Amino acid sequence: RTIHNAHADLVRTLAFDRAMDVIVSGSYDESIKIWRFSTGALLHKIKNVHTSRVFKLMFDRSRIVSCSHDRSISVIDFASGLAHARLFI
């Protein structure tokens, strides 16, 4: 499966969980996106967490941890569901 035009700039980092059927991508466009692996559907787009390029991310069943060229580390909590994702740190 290929997701074309997934981000507005270079995709720098990916994390994948087969059991959750989820891919999380981070980009130089300052965004983090959550995708359904089996369909390629965009589940959620997270903006305004970083003010520069996203370099690395990791996730588990309730949080996404990312770091950026803006010299920040962010923890995004989505334990209550993606619709309620919020910046934890």
Side-chain angles (χ1 to χ4, degrees), residues 24-64:
V24 180
S25 60
S27 171
Y28 278 11
D29 68 6
E30 303 171 12
S31 73
I32 296 169
K33 294 184 180 182
I34 304 168
W35 309 87
R36 176 71 57 215
F37 173 71
S38 59
T39 64
L42 179 63
L43 300 176
H44 198 70
K45 179 178 179 179
I46 300 168
K47 292 278 297 172
N48 303 320
V49 171
H50 292 291
T51 59
S52 190
R53 303 168 177 168
V54 178
F55 280 136
K56 178 74 176 167
L57 60 79
M58 299 178 76
F59 77 102
D60 63 18
R61 295 192 179 274
S62 63
R63 291 190 176 94
I64 299 169

